[in-house]
Amino acid sequence: AAQFTAADNMTQQIAALGSLLRIGRGQDALEAFYQQWESERLVVDKWFAIQIACAAPEAAVNVAQKLTEHRDFSIKNPNRFRSVFRPLASNFAAFHHRSGDGYKMMTDWIIKLDRINPQLAARSCGVFETLGQFDAQRKSMICTNLRRILDSPELSRDTTEMATRMLKA
């Protein structure tokens, strides 16, 4: 907390913020950071990302969901989309949680994104590329979600190709 308060630049401040979030004590700092940097789009992207990256596995999907409802989130902004969904997929224990909620959320958003930005939607399917590394339950959930993508009406050619390739792997 002292490092966050004394920081004289964004890099030091966000590092301290991450530490506070990891121990569950960063809510005040989180709001202060946002208020200070809300006019800097790339810094706000970092603010979105750090919340998910530092969230406990059982909370990360809920944090991501809450952030998609934030006034500064827009599915039409590729960087903002990535600032939420890359950290979710990178938070291994959260994304691959036995509940399957990470897979479901990612699938829901890939389907929505495909209508707006098919190239980014197709690239986002890559989060399912590790299919072969998991137990039968997780493999089954990943396959189910890839099929959900493929069953989506008017799916773009790029996303269809990626999801099909992932499913065949």
Side-chain angles (χ1 to χ4, degrees):
Q3 182 181 351
F4 180 84
T5 303
D8 63 0
N9 63 65
M10 185 276 302
T11 303
Q12 289 178 351
Q13 211 175 27
I14 203 160
L17 177 59
S19 295
L20 288 168
L21 289 172
R22 281 185 200 90
I23 62 170
R25 300 191 52 201
Q27 291 309 309
D28 291 340
L30 196 59
E31 185 58 30
F33 185 90
Y34 177 77
Q35 293 300 324
Q36 180 179 351
W37 298 101
E38 69 180 311
S39 64
E40 300 290 333
R41 291 176 317 176
L42 296 177
V43 178
V44 173
D45 288 339
K46 291 177 184 294
W47 178 81
F48 273 86
I50 198 165
Q51 293 179 66
I52 301 162
C54 295
E58 60 278 356
V61 171
N62 289 335
V63 171
Q65 179 58 45
K66 182 178 173 190
L67 288 171
T68 64
E69 298 164 6
H70 191 276
R71 71 177 187 258
D72 284 343
F73 179 82
S74 171
I75 193 171
K76 294 178 181 178
N77 179 332
N79 286 339
R80 196 56 46 87
F81 180 86
R82 283 189 288 265
S83 73
V84 170
F85 291 97
R86 274 191 184 160
L88 177 61
S90 297
N91 188 333
F92 194 84
F95 185 63
H96 299 288
H97 192 270
R98 67 182 170 272
S99 69
D101 291 344
Y103 303 149
K104 183 182 181 319
M105 182 178 193
M106 181 64 77
T107 298
D108 292 345
W109 281 91
I110 288 172
I111 292 167
K112 289 178 195 176
L113 180 64
D114 188 65
R115 295 179 186 108
I116 298 163
N117 188 334
Q119 293 79 23
L120 182 54
R123 282 192 304 273
S124 297
C125 289
V127 300
F128 296 115
E129 198 156 22
T130 57
L131 174 63
Q133 301 175 8
F134 293 103
D135 58 66
Q137 178 188 3
R138 285 178 178 82
K139 284 180 185 180
S140 175
M141 287 189 291
I142 291 171
C143 288
T144 297
N145 281 285
L146 286 168
R147 284 187 203 96
R148 282 185 52 225
I149 292 170
L150 290 170
D151 289 343
S152 177
E154 300 179 32
L155 193 64
S156 71
R157 183 176 51 95
D158 293 343
T159 302
T160 299
E161 180 182 329
M162 286 297 290
T164 301
R165 186 171 61 83
M166 300 292 149
L167 197 55
K168 287 180 180 177

